[in-house]
């Protein structure tokens, strides 16, 4: 009897890593329903809740990143790395995977490093236009490096690169409601323009400050509606500030569960420039203003944003300039029908559909080769 496919998928820390990982797992299951899939994440991180909620088992490692803000907190890092290596080797021996997949995040490095040293072929899914140091190290021994941007031979062996795009949340592509229905979901008028501001599940301080500084502009723009996801981290502070004055054309939520409907409602999106979010905008053809976070490794969000802005597929605002200029630019842009159309047309040209299925096929192929 043929042995079922067994795959370890490792990584996480943010939705930008977790959602692609789950999409890959779902695609593997769709192609090989008997496949056994085990996730390996970092203890205390988002994946430890999101992965089980998606129906998959996960093991946690005590791994964490290097803390540049407080060097004293790094004292325990060597021990955590040693312990994580021991733990993941035990996980691999017990689970006996055919293939390992890394999507980025703290747990990805010790998992793939251990897998490679134990003879398990592994695949990397590099989401950004500028590769991180960890993936560049892992890429030297990876069987395949799946990327979302051209020109990645700067970072990886060219003969093992595969342009696949980034897997996205399938629910976004399956949203069937009309734009008018989506707008009404938020209690707004479909005849008016709608701007969606979103900074990820935890929120983006700069985007939030951009709104708080310009509440008068929001209120005066009575032909524009604003949906504002503040993020859970900032929700209490913003709720306190908005008790005195909340414009009627502003809908505030700490978290939007159904982003498919939110995107459908929006004529224009304001967002950070995470690779996963950018892939979503490309696939659904959404006009967007990107405000890259400066607090990421190798400033990769700026490089992601410029990859679109240089092709006139998005507008780009620097984080430091956003509190002063972002809201005014957004209101001006949402009234410019020609610009909105151009942004949508150009971003659609960059879409790489069916990424999860393409990567899943590659995982299955690696098992066959082994």
């Amino acid at each position: 009897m043929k042995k079922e496919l067994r795959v370890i998928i490792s990584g996480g820390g943010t939705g930008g890593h977790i959602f692609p990982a789950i999409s890959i797992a779902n695609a593997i299951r769709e192609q090989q329903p008997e496949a056994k899939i085990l996730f390996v994440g970092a203890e205390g991180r988002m994946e430890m809740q999101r992965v089980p909620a998606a129906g998959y088992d996960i093991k946690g490692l005590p791994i964490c990143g290097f803390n540049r803000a407080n060097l004293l907190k790094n004292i325990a890092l060597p021990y955590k790395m040693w312990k994580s290596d021991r733990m993941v080797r035990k996980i691999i021996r017990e689970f006996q995977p055919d293939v390992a997949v890394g999507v980025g995040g703290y747990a990805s490095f010790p998992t793939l490093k251990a897998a490679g040293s134990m003879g398990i072929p592994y695949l990397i899914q590099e989401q950004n236009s500028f590769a991180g140091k960890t993936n560049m190290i892992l890429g030297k021994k990876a069987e395949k490096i799946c990327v979302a941007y051209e020109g990645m031979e700067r970072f990886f062996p060219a003969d093992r690169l595969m342009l696949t795009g980034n897997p996205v949340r399938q629910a976004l592509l399956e949203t069937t409601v009309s734009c008018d229905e989506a707008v009404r979901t938020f209690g707004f008028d479909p005849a008016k323009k709608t701007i969606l501001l979103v900074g990820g599940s935890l929120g983006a301080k700069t985007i939030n400050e951009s709104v708080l500084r310009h509440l008068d502009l929001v209120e005066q723009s009575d032909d524009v509606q604003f949906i504002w996801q503040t993020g859970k981290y900032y929700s209490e502070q913003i709720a306190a500030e908005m008790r005195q004055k909340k414009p009627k054309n502003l809908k505030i939520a700490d978290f939007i569960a159904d982003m498919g409907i939110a995107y459908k409602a929006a004529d224009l999106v304001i967002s950070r420039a995470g690779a996963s979010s950018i892939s979503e905008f490309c696939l659904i053809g959404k006009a967007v203003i990107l405000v890259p976070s400066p607090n990421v490794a190798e400033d990769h969000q700026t490089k992601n944003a410029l990859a679109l802005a240089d092709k006139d597929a998005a507008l780009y605002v620097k984080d430091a300039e956003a509190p002063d200029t972002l809201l005014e630019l957004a209101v001006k842009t949402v009234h410019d029908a020609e610009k909105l159309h151009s942004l949508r047309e150009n971003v659609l040209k960059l879409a790489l559909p069916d990424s999860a299925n393409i990567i899943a096929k590659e995982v299955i192929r690696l098992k066959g080769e082994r």
Side-chain angles (χ1 to χ4, degrees), residues 82-288:
W82 173 81
K83 187 176 180 182
S84 294
D85 181 71
R86 299 258 305 195
M87 288 175 65
V88 80
R89 287 176 180 276
K90 184 173 184 289
I91 291 168
I92 290 171
R93 282 194 298 270
E94 292 176 350
F95 185 70
Q96 296 185 353
D98 299 295
V99 185
V101 177
V103 297
Y106 298 144
S108 191
F109 182 72
T111 303
L112 295 195
K113 182 172 176 287
S117 69
M118 297 170 75
I120 309 298
Y122 65 80
L123 173 153
I124 295 171
Q125 202 260 316
E126 171 56 63
Q127 299 161 3
N128 296 294
S129 61
F130 192 93
K133 290 184 175 65
T134 297
N135 269 356
M136 283 193 273
I137 294 169
L138 291 170
K140 294 175 182 177
K141 294 186 178 180
E143 294 292 325
K144 193 67 69 174
I145 303 108
C146 299
V147 297
Y149 295 88
E150 295 178 347
M152 298 300 285
E153 59 274 3
R154 294 176 294 160
F155 311 107
F156 301 111
D159 61 331
R160 280 175 272 159
L161 283 175
M162 187 174 186
L163 186 63
T164 62
N166 290 324
V168 303
R169 292 171 280 186
Q170 196 62 29
L172 295 181
L173 307 179
E174 296 172 349
T175 302
T176 57
V177 299
S178 68
C179 178
D180 286 2
E181 289 171 329
V183 172
R184 290 192 183 97
T185 298
F186 293 94
F188 281 154
D189 182 356
K192 296 182 178 181
K193 295 293 184 181
T194 302
I195 296 174
L196 170 66
L197 303 103
V198 55
S201 56
L202 296 178
K205 183 179 179 182
T206 299
I207 292 176
N208 290 342
E209 285 182 355
S210 301
V211 180
L212 290 171
R213 283 197 197 181
H214 297 280
L215 287 173
D216 287 344
L217 176 59
V218 171
E219 193 168 29
Q220 291 161 14
S221 305
D222 53 8
D223 58 343
V224 182
Q225 303 154 146
F226 298 82
I227 303 168
W228 179 20
Q229 180 182 277
T230 64
K232 294 184 178 180
Y233 184 81
Y234 301 99
S235 60
E236 289 186 13
Q237 170 208 339
I238 290 171
E241 294 195 38
M242 300 299 291
R243 284 195 189 104
Q244 300 299 321
K245 181 180 180 181
K246 179 181 174 296
K248 293 180 181 178
N249 59 335
L250 178 62
K251 174 76 174 181
I252 303 174
D254 62 348
F255 179 73
I256 299 172
D258 193 334
M259 285 305 299
I261 289 178
Y263 285 151
K264 182 74 79 169
D267 295 286
L268 177 68
V269 179
I270 295 171
S271 171
R272 287 303 200 188
S276 188
S277 295
I278 285 178
S279 293
E280 292 173 353
F281 301 141
C282 292
L283 285 166
I284 62 178
K286 191 57 60 175
V288 60

Side-chain angles (χ1 to χ4, degrees), residues 37-90:
I37 299 172
L38 177 67
F39 280 74
V40 177
E43 292 174 354
R45 304 293 289 184
M46 191 188 299
E47 60 265 28
M48 301 307 293
Q49 285 76 45
R50 295 290 176 88
V51 169
Y56 295 97
D57 293 332
I58 186 168
K59 301 282 188 181
L61 304 178
I63 191 68
C64 62
F66 185 80
N67 192 318
R68 291 176 175 83
N70 189 338
L71 297 179
L72 288 176
K73 290 188 176 180
N74 296 308
I75 292 174
L77 187 58
Y79 171 73
K80 289 181 177 181
M81 293 176 66
W82 173 81
K83 187 176 180 182
S84 294
D85 181 71
R86 299 258 305 195
M87 288 175 65
V88 80
R89 287 176 180 276
K90 184 173 184 289

